[in-house]
Coordinates of all heavy atoms in Angstrom, one line a residue:
A12 N 18.3 -52.9 -196.4 CA 18.7 -54.0 -197.2 C 18.4 -53.8 -198.7 O 19.2 -54.2 -199.5 CB 17.9 -55.3 -196.7
R13 N 17.3 -53.1 -199.0 CA 17.0 -52.8 -200.4 C 18.0 -51.8 -201.0 O 18.5 -52.0 -202.1 CB 15.6 -52.2 -200.5 CG 14.5 -53.2 -200.4 CD 13.1 -52.6 -200.8 NE 12.8 -51.5 -200.0 CZ 12.0 -51.6 -198.9 NH1 11.6 -52.8 -198.5 NH2 11.7 -50.6 -198.1
L14 N 18.4 -50.8 -200.2 CA 19.4 -49.9 -200.7 C 20.8 -50.6 -200.9 O 21.5 -50.3 -201.9 CB 19.5 -48.7 -199.8 CG 18.3 -47.7 -199.7 CD1 18.5 -46.7 -198.6 CD2 18.1 -47.1 -201.1
A15 N 21.1 -51.4 -199.9 CA 22.4 -52.1 -200.1 C 22.4 -53.0 -201.3 O 23.4 -53.2 -202.0 CB 22.7 -52.9 -198.8
G16 N 21.3 -53.7 -201.5 CA 21.2 -54.6 -202.7 C 21.1 -53.9 -204.0 O 21.4 -54.5 -205.0
S17 N 20.8 -52.6 -204.0 CA 20.7 -51.9 -205.3 C 22.0 -51.6 -205.9 O 22.1 -51.5 -207.1 CB 19.9 -50.6 -205.1 OG 20.7 -49.6 -204.4
G18 N 23.0 -51.5 -205.1 CA 24.4 -51.2 -205.6 C 24.6 -49.8 -206.0 O 25.7 -49.4 -206.5
R19 N 23.6 -48.9 -205.8 CA 23.7 -47.5 -206.2 C 24.1 -46.6 -205.1 O 24.3 -45.4 -205.3 CB 22.3 -47.1 -206.8 CG 21.9 -47.8 -208.0 CD 20.7 -47.2 -208.7 NE 19.6 -47.0 -207.8 CZ 18.6 -47.9 -207.7 NH1 18.7 -49.0 -208.4 NH2 17.6 -47.7 -206.9
V20 N 24.1 -47.2 -203.9 CA 24.4 -46.3 -202.7 C 25.6 -46.9 -201.9 O 25.8 -48.1 -201.8 CB 23.1 -46.4 -201.7 CG1 23.4 -45.5 -200.5 CG2 21.9 -45.9 -202.4
T21 N 26.5 -45.9 -201.5 CA 27.6 -46.3 -200.7 C 27.1 -46.5 -199.3 O 26.6 -45.5 -198.6 CB 28.7 -45.3 -200.8 OG1 29.1 -45.1 -202.1 CG2 29.9 -45.7 -199.9
M22 N 27.1 -47.7 -198.8 CA 26.4 -47.9 -197.5 C 27.4 -47.7 -196.3 O 28.6 -48.0 -196.4 CB 26.0 -49.4 -197.4 CG 24.9 -49.7 -198.4 SD 23.3 -48.9 -198.1 CE 22.9 -49.6 -196.5
P23 N 26.8 -47.2 -195.2 CA 27.6 -47.1 -194.0 C 27.9 -48.5 -193.5 O 27.3 -49.5 -193.9 CB 26.7 -46.3 -193.0 CG 25.6 -45.8 -193.9 CD 25.5 -46.7 -195.1
E24 N 28.8 -48.5 -192.5 CA 29.0 -49.8 -191.8 C 27.8 -50.1 -191.0 O 27.3 -49.2 -190.3 CB 30.2 -49.7 -190.9 CG 30.5 -50.9 -190.1 CD 31.6 -50.7 -189.1 OE1 32.4 -49.7 -189.2 OE2 31.8 -51.6 -188.2
L25 N 27.3 -51.3 -191.1 CA 26.1 -51.7 -190.3 C 26.4 -52.6 -189.2 O 27.1 -53.6 -189.4 CB 25.0 -52.3 -191.2 CG 24.6 -51.5 -192.4 CD1 23.6 -52.3 -193.3 CD2 23.9 -50.2 -192.0
E26 N 25.9 -52.4 -188.0 CA 26.2 -53.2 -186.9 C 24.9 -53.4 -186.1 O 24.2 -52.5 -185.7 CB 27.3 -52.6 -186.0 CG 27.6 -53.5 -184.7 CD 28.6 -52.9 -183.8 OE1 29.1 -51.8 -184.1 OE2 28.9 -53.5 -182.8
L27 N 24.6 -54.7 -185.7 CA 23.6 -55.0 -184.8 C 24.2 -55.3 -183.5 O 25.0 -56.3 -183.3 CB 22.8 -56.3 -185.3 CG 21.7 -56.8 -184.4 CD1 20.6 -55.8 -184.3 CD2 21.1 -58.1 -185.0
L28 N 23.8 -54.5 -182.5 CA 24.5 -54.6 -181.2 C 23.4 -55.0 -180.1 O 22.6 -54.1 -179.7 CB 25.2 -53.3 -180.8 CG 25.9 -53.3 -179.5 CD1 26.9 -54.4 -179.3 CD2 26.5 -51.9 -179.3
P29 N 23.3 -56.2 -179.7 CA 22.4 -56.5 -178.5 C 22.9 -55.9 -177.3 O 24.1 -56.2 -176.8 CB 22.5 -58.1 -178.5 CG 23.1 -58.5 -179.8 CD 24.0 -57.4 -180.2
A30 N 22.1 -55.0 -176.7 CA 22.5 -54.3 -175.4 C 22.2 -55.1 -174.2 O 22.8 -54.9 -173.1 CB 21.9 -53.0 -175.4
S31 N 21.2 -56.0 -174.3 CA 20.8 -56.9 -173.2 C 20.3 -58.2 -173.7 O 19.7 -58.2 -174.8 CB 19.8 -56.2 -172.3 OG 18.6 -55.8 -173.0
Y32 N 20.6 -59.2 -173.0 CA 20.2 -60.6 -173.4 C 19.2 -61.2 -172.5 O 19.3 -61.0 -171.3 CB 21.5 -61.5 -173.5 CG 22.6 -61.0 -174.4 CD1 23.5 -60.0 -173.9 CD2 22.7 -61.4 -175.7 CE1 24.5 -59.5 -174.8 CE2 23.7 -61.0 -176.5 CZ 24.6 -60.0 -176.0 OH 25.6 -59.6 -176.9
D33 N 18.4 -62.1 -173.0 CA 17.5 -62.9 -172.2 C 18.3 -64.0 -171.5 O 19.1 -64.7 -172.2 CB 16.4 -63.5 -173.0 CG 15.4 -62.5 -173.5 OD1 15.3 -61.5 -172.8 OD2 14.6 -62.8 -174.4
L34 N 18.1 -64.2 -170.3 CA 18.7 -65.3 -169.5 C 17.8 -66.5 -169.7 O 16.6 -66.4 -170.0 CB 18.8 -65.0 -168.1 CG 19.8 -63.8 -167.7 CD1 19.8 -63.5 -166.3 CD2 21.2 -64.2 -168.2
P35 N 18.3 -67.8 -169.5 CA 17.5 -68.9 -169.5 C 16.3 -68.8 -168.6 O 16.4 -68.3 -167.4 CB 18.4 -70.1 -169.0 CG 19.8 -69.6 -169.4 CD 19.7 -68.1 -169.2
G36 N 15.1 -69.1 -169.1 CA 13.9 -68.9 -168.3 C 13.2 -67.6 -168.4 O 12.2 -67.3 -167.8
A37 N 13.8 -66.7 -169.3 CA 13.2 -65.4 -169.5 C 11.8 -65.4 -170.0 O 11.0 -64.6 -169.7 CB 14.1 -64.6 -170.4
R38 N 11.5 -66.4 -170.8 CA 10.1 -66.5 -171.4 C 9.1 -66.8 -170.3 O 7.9 -66.6 -170.5 CB 10.0 -67.5 -172.5 CG 10.9 -67.2 -173.7 CD 10.6 -65.8 -174.3 NE 9.2 -65.6 -174.7 CZ 8.7 -65.9 -175.9 NH1 9.5 -66.4 -176.8 NH2 7.4 -65.7 -176.2
L39 N 9.5 -67.2 -169.2 CA 8.5 -67.4 -168.1 C 7.9 -66.1 -167.6 O 6.8 -66.1 -167.2 CB 9.2 -68.1 -166.9 CG 9.7 -69.6 -167.1 CD1 10.4 -70.1 -165.9 CD2 8.5 -70.5 -167.4
L40 N 8.7 -65.0 -167.7 CA 8.2 -63.7 -167.4 C 7.1 -63.3 -168.4 O 6.1 -62.7 -168.0 CB 9.3 -62.7 -167.5 CG 10.5 -62.9 -166.5 CD1 11.5 -61.8 -166.8 CD2 10.0 -62.8 -165.1
D41 N 7.2 -63.7 -169.7 CA 6.2 -63.5 -170.6 C 4.9 -64.2 -170.2 O 3.8 -63.7 -170.3 CB 6.6 -63.9 -172.0 CG 7.7 -63.0 -172.6 OD1 7.9 -62.0 -172.0 OD2 8.3 -63.5 -173.6
L42 N 5.1 -65.5 -169.8 CA 3.9 -66.3 -169.4 C 3.2 -65.6 -168.2 O 1.9 -65.6 -168.2 CB 4.4 -67.7 -169.0 CG 3.3 -68.7 -168.5 CD1 2.2 -68.8 -169.5 CD2 3.9 -70.0 -168.2
V43 N 3.9 -65.1 -167.3 CA 3.3 -64.5 -166.1 C 2.5 -63.3 -166.6 O 1.4 -63.0 -166.1 CB 4.4 -64.1 -165.1 CG1 3.7 -63.3 -163.9 CG2 5.0 -65.4 -164.5
Q44 N 3.1 -62.5 -167.5 CA 2.4 -61.3 -167.9 C 1.2 -61.6 -168.7 O 0.1 -61.0 -168.6 CB 3.4 -60.4 -168.8 CG 4.5 -59.8 -168.0 CD 5.5 -59.1 -168.9 OE1 5.5 -59.2 -170.1 NE2 6.4 -58.3 -168.3
V45 N 1.3 -62.6 -169.6 CA 0.1 -63.0 -170.3 C -1.0 -63.5 -169.4 O -2.2 -63.2 -169.6 CB 0.5 -64.1 -171.4 CG1 -0.7 -64.8 -172.0 CG2 1.4 -63.5 -172.5
M46 N -0.6 -64.3 -168.4 CA -1.6 -64.8 -167.5 C -2.3 -63.7 -166.7 O -3.5 -63.7 -166.4 CB -0.9 -65.8 -166.5 CG -1.9 -66.5 -165.6 SD -2.9 -67.7 -166.5 CE -4.5 -67.0 -166.5
D47 N -1.5 -62.7 -166.3 CA -2.1 -61.5 -165.6 C -3.2 -60.8 -166.5 O -4.3 -60.5 -166.0 CB -1.0 -60.5 -165.4 CG -0.2 -60.8 -164.1 OD1 -0.6 -61.6 -163.3 OD2 0.9 -60.3 -164.0
R48 N -2.9 -60.7 -167.8 CA -3.8 -60.0 -168.6 C -5.1 -60.9 -168.9 O -6.2 -60.4 -168.9 CB -3.2 -59.7 -170.0 CG -4.1 -58.9 -170.9 CD -3.3 -58.3 -172.1 NE -4.2 -57.6 -173.0 CZ -3.9 -57.0 -174.1 NH1 -2.6 -57.0 -174.4 NH2 -4.8 -56.3 -174.8
I49 N -4.8 -62.2 -169.1 CA -6.0 -63.1 -169.3 C -6.9 -63.1 -168.1 O -8.1 -63.1 -168.2 CB -5.5 -64.5 -169.6 CG1 -4.8 -64.5 -171.0 CG2 -6.6 -65.5 -169.5 CD1 -4.2 -65.8 -171.4
R50 N -6.3 -63.1 -166.9 CA -7.1 -63.2 -165.6 C -7.9 -61.9 -165.5 O -9.0 -61.9 -165.0 CB -6.1 -63.3 -164.4 CG -6.8 -63.3 -163.1 CD -7.7 -64.5 -162.9 NE -8.2 -64.6 -161.6 CZ -9.1 -65.5 -161.2 NH1 -9.6 -66.4 -162.0 NH2 -9.6 -65.5 -159.9
A51 N -7.3 -60.8 -166.0 CA -8.0 -59.5 -165.8 C -9.1 -59.3 -166.9 O -10.1 -58.7 -166.6 CB -7.0 -58.4 -165.9
E52 N -8.9 -59.8 -168.1 CA -9.7 -59.4 -169.2 C -10.6 -60.5 -169.8 O -11.5 -60.3 -170.6 CB -8.9 -58.8 -170.4 CG -8.1 -57.6 -169.9 CD -7.2 -57.0 -171.0 OE1 -7.5 -57.4 -172.2 OE2 -6.3 -56.3 -170.7
C53 N -10.2 -61.8 -169.6 CA -11.0 -62.9 -170.2 C -12.2 -63.2 -169.3 O -12.1 -63.5 -168.1 CB -10.1 -64.1 -170.3 SG -11.0 -65.6 -170.9

């Protein structure tokens, strides 16, 4: 972003490509993982 904003560099084409997406409820997996660690270490 800094180089592109400087205007001194010819920038390549930039693309952000999501290769996999979270499905609804995906954050529940995070909760299960956090609970596993808390149970083990707290």
Side-chain angles (χ1 to χ4, degrees):
R13 283 193 297 270
L14 290 174
S17 71
R19 299 191 304 269
V20 178
T21 300
M22 294 295 294
E24 177 187 348
L25 302 176
E26 179 182 359
L27 176 63
L28 180 57
S31 57
Y32 301 84
D33 286 341
L34 296 175
R38 294 307 300 271
L39 293 175
L40 299 177
D41 292 346
L42 177 57
V43 172
Q44 291 177 346
V45 168
M46 189 70 251
D47 279 342
R48 184 168 180 180
I49 290 174
R50 179 65 173 175
E52 301 179 18
C53 175

